Amino acid sequence: MTATHITAVPQATVDAPAYAPTSGTTSGTTSGTASGLPASNGRRPVEMLRRRWPTALAVALVILTTADGSGELADSVGAFGDALPLLPLLYVIIHQLGKPRVTWPVLGAGVAAMVALRAQDVVSQPVALVAIALAVLVWGAVRGTPHGGATFGVQAAGAFAFGALALVGLAVDPDLGRYLVAAGWFFHGVWDFVHLKLDKVVARSFAEWCGVVDVLIAVHLLFLL
């Protein structure tokens, strides 16, 4: 009798667990977009504009203000020299109020005051603005300041320096005045960016907006007129 040999055949990989892709992934692509780029890429310009809207607003304002380019040198120096004292005046007023959130309303009131001053012939606009700044500084010296004496002294020095540049720039020949007025606008731009960095006195959005406006106007006075 012949013995029957039975060879055991190993069981194939029937019992091995099958591979299943994890949820949220697909073969050959990454999550987000079909190209593998983050889904937020298309929103980056919008996000940048949302964060930097003061800069965009400042550039648009300067372009609208200076695009004509047909004005005489004396007229441009006079207009920007008249407006220069408003810049430190805003800082002095907001410093005394102690509330950066009111920065933009104070700017609106300041622009309205400039329009009213320009409509009368009794006192010149820059002299009136400097006088208001001095009155506010006296008020601060008597009443006290919410940010302390050191910050008050810095704001007072700024009011005197920028006001003096404006008044002297308007008093001299326009060929020289343009450099003095441009220096006032440029250094007030530096002033804005320092306050933006320190996050003091005025709203950050205003400091960014005003800094860009100031530097661009200085460039216009020096090179584009």
Side-chain angles (χ1 to χ4, degrees):
M1 181 175 178
T2 304
T4 303
H5 297 279
I6 300 174
T7 303
V9 179
Q11 189 176 7
T13 56
V14 176
D15 296 332
Y19 172 78
T22 58
S23 61
T25 62
T26 57
S27 176
T29 60
T30 59
S31 59
T33 63
S35 63
L37 296 176
S40 61
N41 272 7
R43 296 196 300 268
R44 283 182 180 176
V46 177
E47 292 295 326
M48 184 176 295
L49 181 61
R50 184 179 64 83
R51 292 194 304 269
R52 296 274 76 89
W53 68 264
T55 295
L57 181 62
V59 172
L61 176 64
V62 173
I63 290 174
L64 291 174
T65 304
T66 62
D68 185 12
S70 60
E72 296 292 333
L73 174 61
D75 295 335
S76 295
V77 172
F80 290 120
D82 286 345
L84 178 57
L86 176 65
L87 307 178
L89 172 60
L90 294 176
Y91 272 82
V92 168
I93 292 175
I94 297 164
H95 171 268
Q96 284 306 111
L97 294 176
K99 298 176 180 179
R101 66 178 180 273
V102 303
T103 301
W104 289 99
V106 171
L107 172 63
V111 172
M114 285 180 56
V115 173
L117 288 170
R118 193 167 294 177
Q120 52 82 44
D121 297 325
V122 178
V123 60
S124 70
Q125 177 180 309
V127 170
L129 293 176
V130 170
I132 294 172
L134 292 176
V136 176
L137 288 173
V138 171
W139 169 43
V142 174
R143 177 181 176 271
T145 64
H147 296 289
T151 305
F152 175 77
V154 170
Q155 299 304 319
F160 280 111
F162 295 116
L165 279 172
L167 294 177
V168 175
L170 291 169
V172 300
D173 184 83
D175 289 326
L176 174 60
R178 73 188 296 176
Y179 296 105
L180 296 175
V181 174
W185 282 88
F186 176 79
F187 285 113
H188 195 272
V190 176
W191 180 272
D192 290 319
F193 289 126
V194 170
H195 282 78
L196 175 63
K197 178 69 174 179
L198 298 177
D199 194 13
K200 284 189 174 182
V201 182
V202 297
R204 290 180 56 83
S205 58
F206 173 82
E208 178 182 337
W209 172 83
C210 192
V212 175
V213 167
D214 294 352
V215 172
L216 291 180
I217 287 178
V219 170
H220 172 74
L221 285 169
L222 290 176
F223 303 110
L224 303 181
L225 278 177

